[in-house]
């Protein structure tokens, strides 16, 4: 089976945007590929964060992923910093990465603005660490949404540069284009993101979800119940597409355009459909959290399986780059 690698940041509670944009697709890959999924805590250090909260965030991410269907028996799930070889590889790859390529990254520019940071080396080198994540496990495929395509392109370039400089070590990773939905936050304008405080958490209760959904922005041109709406500009309709049956979506589309349904009723249907998916996830999360060491043990096992690969690959890298003499046993 071809190997797939993907990572998710432990940047607060996992939300519907993470689920529709990544996790739901990962679950579909479990039986088709040799999947490695990583909670990328080193990446989460590239913006200001509370160190006290980090262990909890990592555990929350692990629990939410497993509750949403990432079965650790059918993949390797681990925490990035538990396999330290990745930082060594990131250093080596950084030495073949042109500075200009990093400075051009859209995410570097937007994150620098969003968090009002000055230039921060970690944020600038984020794509190099991402390349190291992928190459360390010789992953051949990387599931990507549109916001990660630029980073993956650079990872592929870094891979080609390394192999042409030091000899073939890594397979060039290819994008695995999956069906992704770009879900906006409840403000309807910006991407769903914990840092923008506009999320609906994947493990939130029915009441919490409704308190957010009822104020979620819809088609802003629909001022009154009697005005026809346009589902194509409505984020509530986008979320429906992840949780509602096709026939019901078609009906909402039709009734919205003819003012046959109001936004409150439309949101109530969505709330019911969300609850049908989220209630079993909350139940699984409760089970996973009841013996707290179990999740830790799963992550430890994932890290130890990944470390075995990483140690072998880094041996090849050290020989190729002259850090180790191939004639000497170590
Ligand atoms: Fe959006 Fe539904 Fe309101 Fe139409 S009826 S604008 S799809 S919330």
């Amino acid at each position: 089976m071809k190997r797939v690698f993907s990572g998710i940041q432990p940047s607060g509670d996992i939300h519907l945007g993470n689920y529709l944009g990544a996790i739901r697709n990962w679950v579909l890959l479990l039986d088709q590929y040799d999947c490695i999924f990583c909670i990328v805590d080193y990446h989460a250090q590239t913006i200001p964060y509370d160190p006290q909260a980090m262990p909890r965030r990592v555990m929350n991410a692990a629990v939410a992923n497993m509750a949403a269907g990432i079965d650790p028996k059918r993949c390797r799930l681990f925490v990035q910093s538990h396999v330290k070889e990745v930082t060594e590889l990131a250093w080596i790859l950084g030495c073949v990465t042109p500075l200009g390529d990093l400075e051009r990254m859209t995410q570097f520019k937007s994150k620098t603005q969003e968090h009002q940071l000055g230039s921060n080396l970690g944020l600038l080198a984020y794509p190099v660490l991402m390349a190291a994540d992928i190459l360390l496990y010789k992953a051949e495929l990387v599931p990507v949404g549109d916001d990660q395509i630029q980073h993956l392109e650079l990872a592929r370039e870094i891979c080609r540069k390394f192999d042409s400089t030091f000899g073939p070590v890594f397979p060039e990773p290819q994008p695995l284009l999956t069906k992704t939905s770009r879900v906006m936050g409840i403000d309807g304008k910006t991407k769903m993101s914990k840092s923008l405080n506009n999320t609906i958490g994947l493990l939130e209760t029915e009441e919490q979800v409704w308190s957010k959904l009822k104020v979620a922005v819809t088609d802003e041109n629909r001022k009154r119940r009697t005005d026809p709406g346009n589902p194509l500009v409505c984020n509530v309709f986008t979320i429906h597409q992840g949780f509602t049956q096709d026939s019901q979506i078609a009906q909402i589309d039709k009734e919205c355009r003819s003012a046959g349904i109001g936004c409150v009723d439309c949101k109530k249907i969505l709330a019911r459909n969300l609850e049908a998916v989220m209630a079993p996830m909350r139940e699984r999360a409760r089970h996973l959290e009841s013996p707290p060491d179990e999740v830790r043990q799963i992550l430890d096992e994932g890290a130890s399986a990944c470390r075995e690969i990483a140690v072998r690959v880094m041996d090849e890298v050290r020989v190729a780059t002259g850090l180790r003499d191939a004639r000497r046993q170590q």
Side-chain angles (χ1 to χ4, degrees), residues 59-308:
M59 287 306 278
N60 285 352
V63 167
N65 273 276
M66 285 191 268
I70 299 296
D71 176 1
K73 292 193 183 73
R74 290 147 68 209
C75 66
R76 279 160 280 203
L77 177 67
F78 77 109
V79 181
Q80 184 183 33
S81 66
H82 294 183
V83 180
K84 296 189 175 30
E85 282 77 2
V86 75
T87 52
E88 184 185 355
L89 183 57
W91 170 258
I92 293 169
L93 297 179
C95 295
V96 297
T97 307
L99 192 54
D101 287 358
L102 296 172
E103 286 168 338
R104 270 195 291 280
M105 290 288 118
T106 314
Q107 194 168 301
F108 170 65
K109 293 181 197 161
S110 66
K111 283 261 163 91
T112 303
Q113 266 177 6
E114 187 186 317
H115 297 279
Q116 298 181 336
L117 302 168
S119 284
N120 154 342
L121 179 59
L123 199 57
L124 182 71
Y126 184 111
V128 180
L129 183 56
M130 180 176 147
D133 280 326
I134 299 164
L135 299 179
L136 185 59
Y137 305 104
K138 294 197 176 186
E140 294 155 279
L141 294 166
V142 181
V144 277
D146 31 338
D147 56 342
Q148 285 297 318
I149 282 178
Q150 198 187 27
H151 281 170
L152 180 60
E153 277 312 312
L154 182 53
R156 282 153 54 87
E157 233 176 277
I158 294 171
C159 173
R160 288 193 293 268
K161 186 80 186 292
F162 180 96
D163 280 359
S164 67
T165 309
F166 299 112
V169 172
F170 301 115
E172 188 178 322
Q174 305 296 322
L176 181 60
L177 296 170
T178 50
K179 194 178 157 220
T180 55
S181 338
R182 193 169 169 78
V183 180
M184 296 293 144
I186 54 173
D187 55 11
K189 293 185 181 72
T190 48
K191 195 180 157 190
M192 194 173 276
S193 158
K194 191 73 189 168
S195 60
L196 300 173
N197 199 22
N198 64 5
T199 63
I200 296 178
L202 197 57
L203 299 178
E204 285 189 307
T205 64
E206 193 172 5
E207 294 72 30
Q208 287 169 320
V209 171
W210 178 245
S211 71
K212 292 177 174 179
L213 207 50
K214 72 182 178 194
V215 295
V217 173
T218 61
D219 170 5
E220 288 187 297
N221 291 323
R222 194 177 186 199
K223 306 281 185 222
R224 291 175 299 265
R225 166 70 179 78
T226 47
D227 291 340
N230 179 2
L232 297 181
V233 297
C234 174
N235 188 45
V236 170
F237 190 73
T238 306
I239 303 175
H240 262 298
Q241 287 163 337
F243 295 92
T244 301
Q245 300 277 348
D246 289 351
S247 56
Q248 201 171 27
I249 289 179
Q251 189 166 353
I252 290 169
D253 182 285
K254 191 166 143 218
E255 291 190 11
C256 172
R257 289 173 194 277
S258 60
I261 188 172
C263 291
V264 175
D265 286 334
C266 182
K267 289 176 177 180
K268 282 183 181 163
I269 296 170
L270 177 58
R272 276 199 298 277
N273 295 344
L274 282 170
E275 182 59 9
V277 174
M278 290 164 71
M281 286 186 193
R282 285 198 304 273
E283 187 57 21
R284 282 197 290 275
R286 210 171 51 79
H287 279 295
L288 284 163
E289 282 174 319
S290 46
D293 287 342
E294 199 174 309
V295 177
R296 241 171 250 130
Q297 195 183 329
I298 288 169
L299 295 175
D300 286 349
E301 285 167 9
S304 126
C306 288
R307 200 174 301 116
E308 272 182 35

Side-chain angles (χ1 to χ4, degrees), residues 29-59:
L29 305 176
L30 287 176
D31 295 322
Q32 298 175 56
Y33 298 101
D34 171 15
C35 293
I36 298 182
F37 298 126
C38 180
I39 298 165
V40 290
D41 53 350
Y42 281 141
H43 282 288
Q45 292 185 299
T46 56
I47 54 173
Y49 71 100
D50 173 6
Q52 305 290 330
M54 182 64 98
R56 189 70 243 156
R57 282 167 47 184
V58 168
M59 287 306 278

